[in-house]
Amino acid sequence: YVKISEGCNHKCSFCIIPSMRGRLASRPIDEVLRESEQLVRVGVKELLIISQDTSAYGSDLKYAKRGWRGAERETRFLDLARGLGELGAWVRLHYVYPYPHVDEILPLMAEGLILPYLDVPLQHSHPAVLKRMKRPASGEKNLERIQRWREICPQIVIRSTFIAGFPGETEQEF
């Protein structure tokens, strides 16, 4: 496991992470890539990239540029995925919110640079429940986005978590 950030800027109604861990605090990209490179050097075959909101990686650092392997890279999700893809290990991305910029990493998956796998914490699909949860996405947009992902990378595997029985959830919403 390689932790790329701590905390979260979302205030989902069911979650205590921002209260416990604080706001998003990303690690600079060169630190993450050096750690990952060292792990691969000593024989690690799979890197599991984790944080509470992997898609927001680097936004708190204003995508600061840092040097690694003789090149400047921005501390952002896409640049991190590209750098990790150069290491020759399996790279599996966890806790990726389906923000529009996530679409940019699908070609890396289609090319085989990172595993065609995303752990996307959708939590629910009904718009009214998502609104009560104060989630940053809508169910319809998520389905459309996943369909586009499958067009770019048909072999993608998506793992998720869902909350059933959220307070006020009706049978129809379930």
Side-chain angles (χ1 to χ4, degrees):
Y1 291 92
V2 178
K3 189 156 211 171
I4 63 170
S5 67
E6 188 69 67
C8 183
N9 292 342
H10 297 292
K11 300 279 187 182
C12 300
S13 63
F14 58 87
C15 186
I16 63 168
I17 288 173
S19 299
M20 287 179 45
R21 312 255 177 173
R23 295 185 56 76
L24 179 71
S26 301
R27 294 175 57 202
I29 192 168
D30 58 321
E31 289 180 17
V32 175
L33 291 173
R34 277 197 305 273
E35 176 186 345
S36 301
E37 188 173 40
Q38 179 61 29
L39 289 168
V40 171
R41 193 175 298 128
V42 298
V44 170
K45 303 291 184 207
E46 181 173 2
L47 301 170
L48 301 150
I49 307 306
I50 60 168
S51 70
Q52 281 83 36
D53 184 357
T54 299
S55 305
Y57 173 69
S59 62
D60 58 311
L61 299 177
K62 297 185 178 19
Y63 310 112
K65 291 183 180 180
R66 300 289 286 259
W68 181 69
R69 289 187 170 182
E72 288 255 311
R73 296 172 191 260
E74 290 185 339
T75 301
R76 70 172 59 239
F77 186 55
L78 179 60
D79 283 10
L80 178 65
R82 281 187 183 133
L84 292 167
E86 295 174 15
L87 298 176
W90 284 1
V91 177
R92 198 176 303 266
L93 303 170
H94 292 266
Y95 319 122
V96 176
Y97 284 84
Y99 303 146
H101 70 271
V102 173
D103 300 357
E104 298 170 347
I105 65 157
L106 273 290
L108 301 178
M109 293 177 175
E111 294 169 27
L113 294 175
I114 58 176
L115 288 176
Y117 172 96
L118 288 175
D119 186 309
V120 183
L122 297 170
Q123 308 302 5
H124 211 282
S125 64
H126 195 281
V129 177
L130 288 167
K131 185 175 182 177
R132 288 195 304 274
M133 289 178 162
K134 298 183 181 175
R135 294 294 289 166
S138 103
E140 292 89 7
K141 289 181 183 174
N142 289 339
L143 291 173
E144 292 168 10
R145 174 150 285 118
I146 290 168
Q147 186 173 353
R148 283 195 309 273
W149 290 350
R150 291 194 186 288
E151 290 168 5
I152 298 166
C153 184
Q155 67 272 30
I156 191 169
V157 172
I158 299 169
R159 177 189 178 274
S160 192
T161 51
F162 291 88
I163 296 173
F166 189 76
E169 181 183 46
T170 65
E171 283 293 320
Q172 183 181 1
E173 291 169 336
F174 175 80

